[in-house]
Structure formats: structure tokens, C-alpha cells
């Protein structure tokens, strides 16, 4: 049997190492790489082509939800399993809309983590049992009401710029990090302010925190 190739993405090295120890004890799973943020995750996925990405949600520079959107857009065959301390339906719905095949909380047992990886590799969805009903009910409510999630309001690029701006990076620094022109950053930022009807960085930070783009 060919092992499941797993990429571990988390901004805390101890968590990456701990997960790696658990997974390496199972012969049907191979840890093929690690990344400390969403930007590194995209580079690693392109480089090593994993089967499953264990994706933390709250990370600097590019959070896990927006990184998931980009992974699924570029490599739709790669499965993403959210790895999070947040067990509220709001975060989970954002993950599912982004294209993840489910999520698992960091406090879960090692056996549950392994089973979740196997499940998403088979093509199944994996949701932690404690909030499965809430997630389904909330998803159905959104479908009935036709409401949009925050990831539908802004483009993936705009959300990247919101995160970096909220983290304190200047426009020129953002341009260098994303390899785009300063003018493009300024245009995106102006569009964001108009879409969200906000006027300064303080309001931008509040929005980013409220929508889970950055942590408080």
C-alpha cells in the first residue's frame, strides 16, 4: 500500500513535532514536510505534492482558511484537513467553504487524527462529533437564507492584504511579500475599504479579528 503523504502546517514547532511523532508511528502515513504559515504551505504543496495537508487556521502572514482556498484552487486533488483549537461552527463553516474536507481539534487523540487523515484521503468528510449537528444546521440556514460568508465578500488576494495590513505590514512590504506592485497593493486596499465601508486601519484590524483572519 502506498503511504498517505502528509504535510503538517502549524506556526508552532512543538505542535508540528508532536503530530509528526504520532503520524510516523503508522506505516500507512508518511510525513513529507512541514510549514509554519500559509505562504510556506503553498510553496511546500507545489514542491512535494502531498496527498493531505493538515492545515492550522490561525497563522501569521497567511491564515489557514485563505491558504486552503489557494491550495484547492491550484491543486484540487490535494485534501485539506483543518487543524484548530476553534471548535465553533463559524470557523468550521469557513473551512468547508474554503474547500477543506473537514477539521480536527488539536486536543483530539492521536488515533482520531490518524482516522481523520485516512477518511479525507478516501474522499470522505471528517467533522469532529461534538459540533457536527451545529455545523450542518448552520450550513443549511445559510443555504436557505442565501447569506454569504466573509470569504465571498473579498477576493482571496484582498483577504491576504487585509491580513498583512492588520498584522502591521506597510504597503511596500506587502508588495514585496506578495511579489506584486505597490500600486496593485494600494488599489486592492482601497477596494477593501470601499467594500467593507471602513476608513482606517483600526477598523480594518477589528474586521480581521471578527472574521477570524487574524487572532486578537
Amino acid at each position: 500500500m502506498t503511504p498517505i503523504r502528509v504535510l503538517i502546517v502549524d506556526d508552532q514547532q512543538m505542535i508540528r513535532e508532536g503530530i509528526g511523532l504520532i503520524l510516523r508511528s503508522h506505516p500507512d502515513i508518511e510525513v513529507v514536510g512541514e510549514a509554519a504559515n500559509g505562504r510556506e504551505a503553498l510553496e511546500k504543496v507545489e514542491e512535494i505534492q502531498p496527498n493531505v495537508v493538515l492545515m492550522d487556521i490561525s497563522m501569521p502572514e497567511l491564515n489557514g482558511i485563505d491558504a486552503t482556498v489557494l491550495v484547492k484552487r491550484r491543486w484540487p486533488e490535494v485534501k485539506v484537513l483543518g487543524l484548530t483549537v476553534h471548535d465553533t461552527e463559524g470557523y468550521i463553516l469557513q473551512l468547508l467553504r474554503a474547500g477543506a474536507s473537514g477539521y480536527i481539534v488539536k486536543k483530539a487523540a492521536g488515533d482520531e487524527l490518524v482516522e481523520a487523515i485516512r477518511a479525507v484521503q478516501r474522499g470522505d468528510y471528517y467533522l469532529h462529533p461534538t459540533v457536527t449537528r451545529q455545523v450542518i444546521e448552520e450550513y443549511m440556514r445559510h443555504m436557505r437564507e442565501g447569506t454569504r460568508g466573509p470569504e465571498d465578500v473579498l477576493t482571496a488576494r484582498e483577504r491576504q492584504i487585509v491580513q498583512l495590513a492588520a498584522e502591521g505590514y506597510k504597503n511596500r512590504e506587502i508588495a514585496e511579500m506578495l511579489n506584486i506592485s505597490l500600486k496593485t497593493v494600494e488599489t486592492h486596499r482601497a477596494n477593501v475599504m470601499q467594500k467593507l465601508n471602513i476608513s482606517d486601519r483600526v477598523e480594518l484590524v477589528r474586521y480581521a479579528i471578527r472574521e477570524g483572519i487574524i487572532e486578537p
Side-chain angles (χ1 to χ4, degrees):
M1 180 184 297
T2 303
I4 304 170
R5 295 164 53 81
V6 176
L7 171 65
I8 303 171
V9 184
D10 195 286
D11 62 338
Q12 297 185 47
Q13 183 176 351
M14 288 182 63
I15 290 180
R16 297 197 305 270
E17 291 177 351
I19 291 173
L21 285 174
I22 293 171
L23 299 185
R24 289 184 178 96
S25 66
H26 295 267
D28 64 328
I29 296 176
E30 178 185 5
V31 177
V32 293
E34 299 179 6
N37 59 56
R39 292 179 65 208
E40 286 186 15
L42 296 175
E43 295 171 359
K44 290 288 187 179
V45 172
E46 183 172 25
E47 176 188 347
I48 61 182
Q49 297 291 301
N51 302 120
V52 176
V53 178
L54 274 179
M55 185 77 79
D56 185 23
I57 289 182
S58 301
M59 297 183 291
E61 298 189 23
L62 181 62
N63 65 74
I65 292 172
D66 294 327
T68 297
V69 171
L70 296 172
V71 167
K72 297 301 293 184
R73 181 178 299 165
R74 299 178 191 177
W75 305 280
E77 73 282 0
V78 175
K79 310 295 185 184
V80 177
L81 180 64
L83 181 66
T84 177
V85 295
H86 307 289
D87 59 356
T88 58
E89 58 266 28
Y91 280 101
I92 299 159
L93 281 171
Q94 289 190 57
L95 267 173
L96 295 178
R97 291 195 193 102
S101 296
Y103 87 104
I104 187 165
V105 293
K106 292 183 179 180
K107 62 185 178 182
D111 289 345
E112 184 180 352
L113 172 61
V114 170
E115 181 51 42
I117 291 171
R118 290 169 177 161
V120 299
Q121 175 62 11
R122 290 193 304 265
D124 297 332
Y125 282 85
Y126 188 91
L127 297 178
H128 193 275
T130 58
V131 293
T132 299
R133 180 174 178 179
Q134 295 97 304
V135 170
I136 293 173
E137 290 176 349
E138 183 71 7
Y139 182 78
M140 294 305 296
R141 184 180 70 80
H142 280 288
M143 291 294 290
R144 288 194 303 270
E145 298 176 0
T147 53
R148 299 188 302 171
E151 68 280 3
D152 299 320
V153 176
L154 303 179
T155 67
R157 178 65 86 189
E158 287 170 346
R159 282 175 63 89
Q160 282 183 277
I161 290 173
V162 166
Q163 175 166 358
L164 293 171
E167 290 175 347
Y169 292 100
K170 306 298 184 185
N171 285 355
R172 190 170 300 278
E173 294 173 318
I174 295 172
E176 292 174 356
M177 294 171 73
L178 299 181
N179 196 28
I180 58 179
S181 71
L182 175 60
K183 181 64 176 176
T184 299
V185 173
E186 292 171 344
T187 299
H188 280 309
R189 196 159 176 171
N191 290 341
V192 166
M193 295 297 197
Q194 183 177 18
K195 284 183 178 182
L196 303 180
N197 193 28
I198 58 180
S199 58
D200 57 36
R201 181 176 174 273
V202 173
E203 292 180 347
L204 187 69
V205 171
R206 288 174 179 162
Y207 171 84
I209 292 172
R210 186 174 66 250
E211 301 300 343
I213 296 174
I214 64 171
E215 287 193 311

